[in-house]
Amino acid sequence: MADEIRGVLFDIDDTLFDYTSSERTGLLGHLAAEGLLESFPSPEEAVALWRGIMEEEYTRFLRGELSFEEQRMVRVRRFLGRAIPDQEAWFGRYSALVTQAWAAFPDAAPVLEALAPHFKLGVVSNSSLQHQRTKLTTLGLLDHFGEAIVCSHEYGRAKPHPEIFLAGCELLGLPPGQVAYVGDKYDVDALGARAAGLRAFWLDRAGGSAVQEEGVTVIGSLEELVAALSPGRSTGDRAG
């Protein structure tokens, strides 16, 4: 018989937080303000280039090849095709516009509020702790997690490595068999969590996935997570 789920760990970016939309808004606003938007064939191609570079250089950060700050500067140089006098200031202006566009998904706060009385909640994120705590504070979500947040930059291991998922379980004080994990990346989040012994939920907001692997539950929204975790649960129950 499967263990009862008593805790839930979350990814942040594109799971609770609409990273993709805020990045697009911030980047295009920044390029327009800097007079650079017309340097690209189209706004969508500019966004695609920026995202492709980000994925490559952020992966290098996760492998420990670059610091969090270094990967930002490399992204600027590659994106512009040249070094500029003050890359840090350029990225800072971009980052400020992205931050202005930060928004949680509409289902994030209601679902966390629904789960909080019944489950221990935490976060496992491939990022830096300071950056993600600032983000959760801005979004009004930090209080749902308290200190149960583990980030790859400080921990020294990144998803999908099993150890970082297990570190999240340890913060909740629960064995992995009693913890669910939900994230938007199939390989990194769902398969990583499953390999670590957690109950894996892949959040596919776009829908249309044909994935039917054993040990991975596909959901299209966070509301579906509540339904999957809470059938028949009384409002008086609480994970101890």
Side-chain angles (χ1 to χ4, degrees):
M1 182 175 178
D3 289 344
E4 177 187 5
I5 298 300
R6 300 175 64 229
V8 186
L9 292 168
F10 289 87
D11 171 57
I12 296 177
D13 294 342
D14 283 328
T15 297
L16 299 172
F17 160 60
D18 191 354
Y19 172 82
T20 296
S21 293
S22 68
E23 178 195 50
R24 182 184 188 281
T25 298
L27 178 65
L28 294 182
H30 180 49
L31 292 178
E34 301 277 314
L36 293 172
L37 191 54
E38 294 183 358
S39 301
F40 298 88
S42 71
E44 293 311 317
E45 289 183 66
V47 172
L49 177 62
W50 179 253
R51 287 179 180 166
I53 292 170
M54 182 276 291
E55 291 289 347
E56 293 175 4
E57 299 305 332
Y58 202 78
T59 298
R60 293 180 64 198
F61 156 66
L62 294 176
R63 292 199 299 255
E65 298 173 12
L66 298 171
S67 70
F68 191 70
E69 293 74 21
E70 286 170 342
Q71 59 88 22
R72 289 179 163 185
M73 299 307 100
V74 173
R75 286 159 58 190
V76 173
R77 289 198 301 272
R78 288 188 58 191
F79 182 67
L80 297 179
R82 65 186 191 280
I84 58 175
D86 198 337
Q87 294 171 171
E88 186 173 352
W90 191 97
F91 194 97
R93 294 191 296 274
Y94 154 76
S95 183
L97 290 176
V98 172
T99 301
Q100 290 176 20
W102 277 359
F105 285 106
D107 57 3
V111 164
L112 293 174
E113 290 164 5
L115 293 177
H118 314 296
F119 300 92
K120 295 180 177 181
L121 304 180
V123 164
V124 175
S125 175
N126 279 356
S127 187
S128 74
L129 183 59
Q130 180 180 354
H131 183 63
Q132 296 300 62
R133 285 184 66 88
T134 298
K135 189 180 295 174
L136 290 171
T137 299
T138 301
L139 299 174
L141 303 179
L142 182 63
D143 288 348
H144 293 292
F145 305 111
E147 298 302 316
I149 301 173
V150 58
C151 289
S152 60
H153 182 55
E154 289 76 18
Y155 184 69
R157 293 282 192 179
K159 298 179 294 183
H161 199 286
E163 285 186 15
I164 193 168
F165 291 100
L166 298 179
C169 295
E170 186 174 348
L171 286 177
L172 297 184
L174 296 171
Q178 294 181 8
V179 178
Y181 188 85
V182 57
D184 69 291
K185 289 185 170 59
Y186 182 70
D187 292 341
V188 171
D189 293 316
L191 297 187
R194 185 185 69 174
L198 288 72
R199 182 172 173 186
F201 287 86
W202 179 39
L203 178 60
D204 178 23
R205 290 187 181 274
S209 169
V211 172
Q212 293 184 341
E213 286 206 38
E214 183 178 356
V216 175
T217 301
V218 183
I219 56 175
S221 69
L222 293 177
E223 286 96 339
E224 292 180 29
L225 176 70
V226 176
L229 293 178
S230 307
R233 180 179 289 272
S234 72
T235 56
D237 293 341
R238 184 179 181 89

Short mmCIF file of all heavy atoms in Angstrom, two decimals, residues 5 7-10 124 161-169 172 174-182 189-201 215-216:
data_model
loop_
_atom_site.label_atom_id
_atom_site.label_comp_id
_atom_site.label_asym_id
_atom_site.label_seq_id
_atom_site.Cartn_x
_atom_site.Cartn_y
_atom_site.Cartn_z
N ILE A 5 0.36 10.72 1.44
CA ILE A 5 1.10 11.94 1.18
C ILE A 5 0.81 12.94 2.29
O ILE A 5 -0.34 13.28 2.57
CB ILE A 5 0.74 12.54 -0.19
CG1 ILE A 5 1.11 11.57 -1.30
CG2 ILE A 5 1.45 13.89 -0.40
CD1 ILE A 5 2.57 11.21 -1.37
N GLY A 7 3.23 15.75 2.70
CA GLY A 7 3.95 16.97 2.37
C GLY A 7 4.01 17.17 0.87
O GLY A 7 3.93 16.21 0.10
N VAL A 8 4.13 18.43 0.45
CA VAL A 8 4.21 18.76 -0.97
C VAL A 8 5.35 19.75 -1.18
O VAL A 8 5.41 20.80 -0.52
CB VAL A 8 2.90 19.38 -1.50
CG1 VAL A 8 2.99 19.57 -3.02
CG2 VAL A 8 1.69 18.53 -1.14
N LEU A 9 6.24 19.41 -2.10
CA LEU A 9 7.33 20.30 -2.50
C LEU A 9 7.03 20.86 -3.89
O LEU A 9 6.53 20.13 -4.76
CB LEU A 9 8.66 19.55 -2.53
CG LEU A 9 9.21 19.08 -1.18
CD1 LEU A 9 10.36 18.11 -1.39
CD2 LEU A 9 9.64 20.26 -0.32
N PHE A 10 7.35 22.13 -4.08
CA PHE A 10 7.04 22.81 -5.34
C PHE A 10 8.30 23.34 -6.01
O PHE A 10 9.22 23.84 -5.34
CB PHE A 10 6.12 24.02 -5.09
CG PHE A 10 4.72 23.66 -4.72
CD1 PHE A 10 4.38 23.43 -3.39
CD2 PHE A 10 3.73 23.56 -5.68
CE1 PHE A 10 3.08 23.11 -3.04
CE2 PHE A 10 2.42 23.25 -5.34
CZ PHE A 10 2.09 23.02 -4.01
N VAL A 124 11.73 23.21 -3.72
CA VAL A 124 13.04 22.78 -4.21
C VAL A 124 13.24 23.47 -5.55
O VAL A 124 12.46 23.26 -6.49
CB VAL A 124 13.13 21.26 -4.37
CG1 VAL A 124 14.46 20.87 -5.01
CG2 VAL A 124 12.97 20.56 -3.03
N HIS A 161 19.14 15.80 -9.72
CA HIS A 161 19.87 14.94 -8.79
C HIS A 161 18.98 14.59 -7.59
O HIS A 161 18.36 15.48 -7.00
CB HIS A 161 21.14 15.63 -8.29
CG HIS A 161 22.14 14.67 -7.72
ND1 HIS A 161 21.96 14.09 -6.49
CD2 HIS A 161 23.31 14.18 -8.22
CE1 HIS A 161 22.99 13.30 -6.24
NE2 HIS A 161 23.81 13.32 -7.27
N PRO A 162 18.91 13.31 -7.22
CA PRO A 162 18.02 12.91 -6.12
C PRO A 162 18.29 13.62 -4.81
O PRO A 162 17.37 13.86 -4.02
CB PRO A 162 18.27 11.40 -5.99
CG PRO A 162 18.78 10.98 -7.34
CD PRO A 162 19.58 12.16 -7.85
N GLU A 163 19.56 13.97 -4.55
CA GLU A 163 19.90 14.51 -3.24
C GLU A 163 19.16 15.80 -2.91
O GLU A 163 18.78 16.03 -1.76
CB GLU A 163 21.41 14.75 -3.14
CG GLU A 163 22.21 13.48 -2.95
CD GLU A 163 23.68 13.76 -2.71
OE1 GLU A 163 24.02 14.93 -2.40
OE2 GLU A 163 24.49 12.82 -2.82
N ILE A 164 18.92 16.67 -3.90
CA ILE A 164 18.27 17.94 -3.58
C ILE A 164 16.79 17.72 -3.27
O ILE A 164 16.22 18.41 -2.42
CB ILE A 164 18.47 18.98 -4.70
CG1 ILE A 164 18.06 20.38 -4.19
CG2 ILE A 164 17.74 18.60 -5.98
CD1 ILE A 164 18.49 21.51 -5.11
N PHE A 165 16.17 16.73 -3.90
CA PHE A 165 14.79 16.39 -3.55
C PHE A 165 14.73 15.83 -2.12
O PHE A 165 13.83 16.15 -1.35
CB PHE A 165 14.22 15.36 -4.52
CG PHE A 165 14.01 15.88 -5.92
CD1 PHE A 165 14.92 15.61 -6.92
CD2 PHE A 165 12.89 16.63 -6.23
CE1 PHE A 165 14.73 16.08 -8.21
CE2 PHE A 165 12.68 17.11 -7.52
CZ PHE A 165 13.60 16.83 -8.51
N LEU A 166 15.69 14.98 -1.80
CA LEU A 166 15.73 14.40 -0.46
C LEU A 166 16.00 15.46 0.60
O LEU A 166 15.50 15.38 1.73
CB LEU A 166 16.79 13.30 -0.40
CG LEU A 166 16.53 12.10 -1.33
CD1 LEU A 166 17.66 11.09 -1.21
CD2 LEU A 166 15.19 11.46 -1.05
N ALA A 167 16.79 16.48 0.24
CA ALA A 167 17.03 17.59 1.16
C ALA A 167 15.73 18.33 1.44
O ALA A 167 15.48 18.76 2.58
CB ALA A 167 18.07 18.55 0.59
N GLY A 168 14.89 18.49 0.42
CA GLY A 168 13.59 19.10 0.63
C GLY A 168 12.72 18.28 1.55
O GLY A 168 12.04 18.83 2.44
N CYS A 169 12.73 16.96 1.37
CA CYS A 169 11.96 16.09 2.27
C CYS A 169 12.44 16.21 3.71
O CYS A 169 11.63 16.23 4.65
CB CYS A 169 12.08 14.63 1.80
SG CYS A 169 11.35 14.29 0.20
N LEU A 172 11.04 19.11 5.44
CA LEU A 172 9.65 18.88 5.86
C LEU A 172 9.56 17.88 7.01
O LEU A 172 8.50 17.74 7.63
CB LEU A 172 8.83 18.35 4.68
CG LEU A 172 8.67 19.26 3.46
CD1 LEU A 172 7.75 18.59 2.45
CD2 LEU A 172 8.12 20.63 3.86
N LEU A 174 9.88 14.58 6.61
CA LEU A 174 9.10 13.46 6.10
C LEU A 174 9.96 12.58 5.19
O LEU A 174 10.86 13.07 4.51
CB LEU A 174 7.90 13.96 5.28
CG LEU A 174 6.84 14.77 6.03
CD1 LEU A 174 5.85 15.38 5.03
CD2 LEU A 174 6.11 13.89 7.03
N PRO A 175 9.67 11.27 5.15
CA PRO A 175 10.36 10.41 4.18
C PRO A 175 9.85 10.69 2.78
O PRO A 175 8.71 11.15 2.60
CB PRO A 175 9.96 9.00 4.65
CG PRO A 175 8.65 9.18 5.33
CD PRO A 175 8.71 10.53 5.99
N PRO A 176 10.65 10.41 1.75
CA PRO A 176 10.24 10.74 0.38
C PRO A 176 8.94 10.08 -0.05
O PRO A 176 8.19 10.66 -0.85
CB PRO A 176 11.42 10.28 -0.47
CG PRO A 176 12.24 9.40 0.41
CD PRO A 176 12.02 9.87 1.80
N GLY A 177 8.63 8.92 0.47
CA GLY A 177 7.39 8.24 0.10
C GLY A 177 6.15 8.97 0.56
O GLY A 177 5.04 8.67 0.09
N GLN A 178 6.31 9.92 1.47
CA GLN A 178 5.17 10.69 1.97
C GLN A 178 5.14 12.11 1.42
O GLN A 178 4.40 12.96 1.90
CB GLN A 178 5.19 10.74 3.50
CG GLN A 178 4.98 9.38 4.16
CD GLN A 178 4.99 9.46 5.68
OE1 GLN A 178 5.00 10.54 6.26
NE2 GLN A 178 4.99 8.31 6.32
N VAL A 179 5.94 12.35 0.38
CA VAL A 179 6.06 13.71 -0.17
C VAL A 179 5.75 13.69 -1.67
O VAL A 179 6.24 12.82 -2.41
CB VAL A 179 7.46 14.28 0.05
CG1 VAL A 179 7.59 15.67 -0.56
CG2 VAL A 179 7.78 14.34 1.55
N ALA A 180 4.94 14.64 -2.11
CA ALA A 180 4.69 14.87 -3.53
C ALA A 180 5.56 16.02 -4.02
O ALA A 180 5.90 16.92 -3.24
CB ALA A 180 3.22 15.19 -3.77
N TYR A 181 5.92 15.97 -5.28
CA TYR A 181 6.66 17.07 -5.89
C TYR A 181 5.96 17.46 -7.17
O TYR A 181 5.59 16.59 -7.98
CB TYR A 181 8.11 16.68 -6.20
CG TYR A 181 8.91 17.88 -6.66
CD1 TYR A 181 9.51 18.72 -5.72
CD2 TYR A 181 9.03 18.20 -8.01
CE1 TYR A 181 10.21 19.85 -6.13
CE2 TYR A 181 9.72 19.33 -8.42
CZ TYR A 181 10.31 20.14 -7.48
OH TYR A 181 10.98 21.26 -7.87
N VAL A 182 5.81 18.77 -7.39
CA VAL A 182 5.17 19.26 -8.62
C VAL A 182 6.06 20.30 -9.28
O VAL A 182 6.57 21.22 -8.63
CB VAL A 182 3.76 19.83 -8.34
CG1 VAL A 182 3.80 20.94 -7.30
CG2 VAL A 182 3.10 20.32 -9.62
N ASP A 189 12.05 17.90 -13.26
CA ASP A 189 11.16 17.87 -12.09
C ASP A 189 10.49 16.51 -11.88
O ASP A 189 10.67 15.87 -10.85
CB ASP A 189 10.08 18.95 -12.22
CG ASP A 189 10.65 20.35 -12.15
OD1 ASP A 189 11.50 20.61 -11.27
OD2 ASP A 189 10.25 21.21 -12.95
N ALA A 190 9.74 16.07 -12.88
CA ALA A 190 8.95 14.85 -12.71
C ALA A 190 9.84 13.61 -12.59
O ALA A 190 9.71 12.84 -11.63
CB ALA A 190 7.96 14.70 -13.87
N LEU A 191 10.72 13.42 -13.55
CA LEU A 191 11.57 12.22 -13.50
C LEU A 191 12.57 12.29 -12.36
O LEU A 191 12.90 11.27 -11.74
CB LEU A 191 12.28 12.03 -14.83
CG LEU A 191 11.37 11.77 -16.04
CD1 LEU A 191 12.20 11.42 -17.27
CD2 LEU A 191 10.34 10.68 -15.75
N GLY A 192 13.06 13.50 -12.06
CA GLY A 192 13.97 13.64 -10.92
C GLY A 192 13.31 13.29 -9.61
O GLY A 192 13.89 12.58 -8.78
N ALA A 193 12.10 13.79 -9.41
CA ALA A 193 11.36 13.50 -8.17
C ALA A 193 11.04 12.02 -8.07
O ALA A 193 11.17 11.41 -6.99
CB ALA A 193 10.09 14.34 -8.12
N ARG A 194 10.62 11.43 -9.17
CA ARG A 194 10.30 9.99 -9.16
C ARG A 194 11.52 9.16 -8.80
O ARG A 194 11.44 8.22 -7.99
CB ARG A 194 9.76 9.57 -10.51
CG ARG A 194 9.30 8.12 -10.56
CD ARG A 194 8.87 7.70 -11.94
NE ARG A 194 9.99 7.62 -12.87
CZ ARG A 194 9.89 7.17 -14.13
NH1 ARG A 194 8.71 6.78 -14.59
NH2 ARG A 194 10.95 7.14 -14.91
N ALA A 195 12.68 9.51 -9.36
CA ALA A 195 13.90 8.76 -9.09
C ALA A 195 14.31 8.86 -7.62
O ALA A 195 14.95 7.96 -7.08
CB ALA A 195 15.03 9.27 -9.98
N ALA A 196 13.93 9.99 -6.98
CA ALA A 196 14.27 10.18 -5.56
C ALA A 196 13.25 9.53 -4.63
O ALA A 196 13.41 9.59 -3.41
CB ALA A 196 14.36 11.67 -5.25
N GLY A 197 12.21 8.94 -5.19
CA GLY A 197 11.23 8.23 -4.38
C GLY A 197 10.03 9.05 -3.97
O GLY A 197 9.21 8.60 -3.16
N LEU A 198 9.88 10.27 -4.54
CA LEU A 198 8.72 11.10 -4.24
C LEU A 198 7.59 10.76 -5.21
O LEU A 198 7.81 10.16 -6.26
CB LEU A 198 9.06 12.59 -4.35
CG LEU A 198 9.95 13.21 -3.28
CD1 LEU A 198 11.41 12.77 -3.40
CD2 LEU A 198 9.88 14.74 -3.36
N ARG A 199 6.39 11.19 -4.87
CA ARG A 199 5.28 11.06 -5.81
C ARG A 199 5.36 12.24 -6.78
O ARG A 199 5.26 13.40 -6.36
CB ARG A 199 3.95 11.05 -5.09
CG ARG A 199 2.76 10.87 -6.05
CD ARG A 199 1.47 10.66 -5.31
NE ARG A 199 0.34 10.65 -6.23
CZ ARG A 199 -0.93 10.61 -5.84
NH1 ARG A 199 -1.24 10.58 -4.55
NH2 ARG A 199 -1.89 10.61 -6.74
N ALA A 200 5.56 11.96 -8.05
CA ALA A 200 5.88 13.00 -9.03
C ALA A 200 4.64 13.47 -9.78
O ALA A 200 3.88 12.67 -10.31
CB ALA A 200 6.90 12.46 -10.03
N PHE A 201 4.48 14.80 -9.82
CA PHE A 201 3.44 15.44 -10.61
C PHE A 201 4.10 16.35 -11.63
O PHE A 201 4.88 17.23 -11.26
CB PHE A 201 2.50 16.26 -9.72
CG PHE A 201 1.58 15.44 -8.88
CD1 PHE A 201 2.00 14.96 -7.64
CD2 PHE A 201 0.30 15.13 -9.31
CE1 PHE A 201 1.14 14.20 -6.85
CE2 PHE A 201 -0.56 14.37 -8.54
CZ PHE A 201 -0.13 13.90 -7.30
N GLY A 215 4.47 6.17 -12.46
CA GLY A 215 5.06 6.95 -11.39
C GLY A 215 5.06 8.44 -11.63
O GLY A 215 5.56 9.20 -10.80
N VAL A 216 4.49 8.91 -12.76
CA VAL A 216 4.38 10.33 -13.04
C VAL A 216 2.92 10.65 -13.34
O VAL A 216 2.32 10.07 -14.25
CB VAL A 216 5.24 10.76 -14.24
CG1 VAL A 216 5.00 12.23 -14.58
CG2 VAL A 216 6.73 10.53 -13.95
#
